[in-house]
PDB file of all heavy atoms in Angstrom:
ATOM      1  N   LEU A  79     -17.108   9.622   3.148  1.00 96.00           N
ATOM      2  CA  LEU A  79     -15.757   9.937   3.652  1.00 96.00           C
ATOM      3  C   LEU A  79     -14.818   8.735   3.729  1.00 96.00           C
ATOM      4  O   LEU A  79     -13.643   8.809   3.291  1.00 96.00           O
ATOM      5  CB  LEU A  79     -15.829  10.593   4.989  1.00 96.00           C
ATOM      6  CG  LEU A  79     -16.613  11.964   5.084  1.00 96.00           C
ATOM      7  CD1 LEU A  79     -16.631  12.385   6.568  1.00 96.00           C
ATOM      8  CD2 LEU A  79     -15.878  12.913   4.294  1.00 96.00           C
ATOM      9  N   GLY A  80     -15.347   7.596   4.181  1.00 93.00           N
ATOM     10  CA  GLY A  80     -14.500   6.427   4.295  1.00 93.00           C
ATOM     11  C   GLY A  80     -14.144   5.919   2.887  1.00 93.00           C
ATOM     12  O   GLY A  80     -12.958   5.487   2.697  1.00 93.00           O
ATOM     13  N   ALA A  81     -15.078   5.926   1.985  1.00 93.00           N
ATOM     14  CA  ALA A  81     -14.726   5.426   0.546  1.00 93.00           C
ATOM     15  C   ALA A  81     -13.757   6.283  -0.081  1.00 93.00           C
ATOM     16  O   ALA A  81     -12.881   5.881  -0.949  1.00 93.00           O
ATOM     17  CB  ALA A  81     -16.029   5.324  -0.282  1.00 93.00           C
ATOM     18  N   SER A  82     -13.787   7.634   0.210  1.00 94.00           N
ATOM     19  CA  SER A  82     -12.947   8.614  -0.432  1.00 94.00           C
ATOM     20  C   SER A  82     -11.537   8.637   0.183  1.00 94.00           C
ATOM     21  O   SER A  82     -10.510   8.886  -0.484  1.00 94.00           O
ATOM     22  CB  SER A  82     -13.448   9.996  -0.326  1.00 94.00           C
ATOM     23  OG  SER A  82     -14.741  10.027  -0.902  1.00 94.00           O
ATOM     24  N   MET A  83     -11.459   8.288   1.472  1.00 93.00           N
ATOM     25  CA  MET A  83     -10.171   8.404   2.172  1.00 93.00           C
ATOM     26  C   MET A  83      -9.997   7.177   3.021  1.00 93.00           C
ATOM     27  O   MET A  83      -9.969   7.176   4.351  1.00 93.00           O
ATOM     28  CB  MET A  83     -10.096   9.644   3.126  1.00 93.00           C
ATOM     29  CG  MET A  83     -10.143  10.928   2.255  1.00 93.00           C
ATOM     30  SD  MET A  83     -10.355  12.356   3.319  1.00 93.00           S
ATOM     31  CE  MET A  83     -12.224  12.317   3.536  1.00 93.00           C
ATOM     32  N   PRO A  84      -9.759   6.079   2.421  1.00 90.00           N
ATOM     33  CA  PRO A  84      -9.571   4.766   3.145  1.00 90.00           C
ATOM     34  C   PRO A  84      -8.182   4.682   3.834  1.00 90.00           C
ATOM     35  O   PRO A  84      -7.236   4.549   3.044  1.00 90.00           O
ATOM     36  CB  PRO A  84      -9.850   3.728   2.101  1.00 90.00           C
ATOM     37  CG  PRO A  84      -9.286   4.340   0.786  1.00 90.00           C
ATOM     38  CD  PRO A  84      -9.594   5.795   0.924  1.00 90.00           C
ATOM     39  N   GLY A  85      -8.253   4.716   5.060  1.00 84.00           N
ATOM     40  CA  GLY A  85      -6.926   4.537   5.769  1.00 84.00           C
ATOM     41  C   GLY A  85      -7.160   4.293   7.231  1.00 84.00           C
ATOM     42  O   GLY A  85      -8.362   4.473   7.826  1.00 84.00           O
ATOM     43  N   ALA A  86      -6.151   3.852   7.996  1.00 75.00           N
ATOM     44  CA  ALA A  86      -6.327   3.707   9.418  1.00 75.00           C
ATOM     45  C   ALA A  86      -6.682   4.975  10.104  1.00 75.00           C
ATOM     46  O   ALA A  86      -5.980   6.027   9.873  1.00 75.00           O
ATOM     47  CB  ALA A  86      -4.993   3.041  10.035  1.00 75.00           C
ATOM     48  N   GLY A  87      -7.592   5.022  11.039  1.00 79.00           N
ATOM     49  CA  GLY A  87      -7.956   6.149  11.770  1.00 79.00           C
ATOM     50  C   GLY A  87      -9.270   6.781  11.554  1.00 79.00           C
ATOM     51  O   GLY A  87      -9.845   7.504  12.412  1.00 79.00           O
ATOM     52  N   GLY A  88      -9.903   6.496  10.369  1.00 87.00           N
ATOM     53  CA  GLY A  88     -11.285   7.030  10.105  1.00 87.00           C
ATOM     54  C   GLY A  88     -11.414   8.470  10.315  1.00 87.00           C
ATOM     55  O   GLY A  88     -10.815   9.212   9.497  1.00 87.00           O
ATOM     56  N   THR A  89     -12.090   8.959  11.314  1.00 91.00           N
ATOM     57  CA  THR A  89     -12.415  10.433  11.491  1.00 91.00           C
ATOM     58  C   THR A  89     -11.187  11.141  11.484  1.00 91.00           C
ATOM     59  O   THR A  89     -11.179  12.292  10.984  1.00 91.00           O
ATOM     60  CB  THR A  89     -13.180  10.563  12.759  1.00 91.00           C
ATOM     61  OG1 THR A  89     -14.365   9.859  12.723  1.00 91.00           O
ATOM     62  CG2 THR A  89     -13.469  12.060  13.020  1.00 91.00           C
ATOM     63  N   TYR A  90     -10.052  10.735  12.109  1.00 90.00           N
ATOM     64  CA  TYR A  90      -8.830  11.487  11.984  1.00 90.00           C
ATOM     65  C   TYR A  90      -8.487  11.938  10.647  1.00 90.00           C
ATOM     66  O   TYR A  90      -7.961  13.097  10.476  1.00 90.00           O
ATOM     67  CB  TYR A  90      -7.645  10.637  12.678  1.00 90.00           C
ATOM     68  CG  TYR A  90      -6.335  11.204  12.315  1.00 90.00           C
ATOM     69  CD1 TYR A  90      -5.883  12.431  13.058  1.00 90.00           C
ATOM     70  CD2 TYR A  90      -5.524  10.726  11.307  1.00 90.00           C
ATOM     71  CE1 TYR A  90      -4.681  12.954  12.660  1.00 90.00           C
ATOM     72  CE2 TYR A  90      -4.332  11.364  10.948  1.00 90.00           C
ATOM     73  CZ  TYR A  90      -3.912  12.504  11.564  1.00 90.00           C
ATOM     74  OH  TYR A  90      -2.743  13.067  11.343  1.00 90.00           O
TER      75      TYR A  90
END
Side-chain angles (χ1 to χ4, degrees):
L79 296 176
S82 303
M83 294 169 281
T89 299
Y90 164 75

